[in-house]
Structures are given as structure tokens and as C-alpha cells.
Amino acid sequence: MSKTVDAPAPDPRLNQILAALPEADYERLLPDLQLVDMPRGWTMSEAKPTASAARS
């Protein structure tokens, strides 16, 4: 039986959005951050059609 070793979580500052935050905002959010696996090409959300697009 083999043992698996959990790798340390990546530094949240590697995320460009988090890295751009002012330090105070980043520190406020840090306790609530969760690592989420997001495969390449995965879409979190899609834009809804606008009213003008619906009339076309």
C-alpha cells in the first residue's frame, strides 16, 4: 500500500486578480479563499444575452 503526500496549496498571489488587490482587501479575503480545481477550458459562467441582442 502506498502513501500519498498532499502537496502544499499554491500561493493565492499567483492568481492575477488576487495579486492586484490592495493588501488590506487581500488580507480580508484570505481566510475565506478555497482552492478549486478548474480544468483548462472550463467555463465558470456565460454571458446572458442583452436586450438589444434579443431583438436582433
Side-chain angles (χ1 to χ4, degrees), residues 25-38:
D25 293 336
Y26 173 78
E27 292 295 329
R28 184 174 51 83
L29 293 173
L30 189 59
D32 296 317
L33 295 179
Q34 296 179 17
L35 182 61
V36 177
D37 183 31
M38 295 178 60

Side-chain angles (χ1 to χ4, degrees), residues 4-24:
T4 59
V5 177
D6 290 331
D11 181 355
R13 290 286 185 159
L14 295 175
N15 176 298
Q16 293 179 0
I17 295 171
L18 294 175
L21 289 173
E23 189 66 27

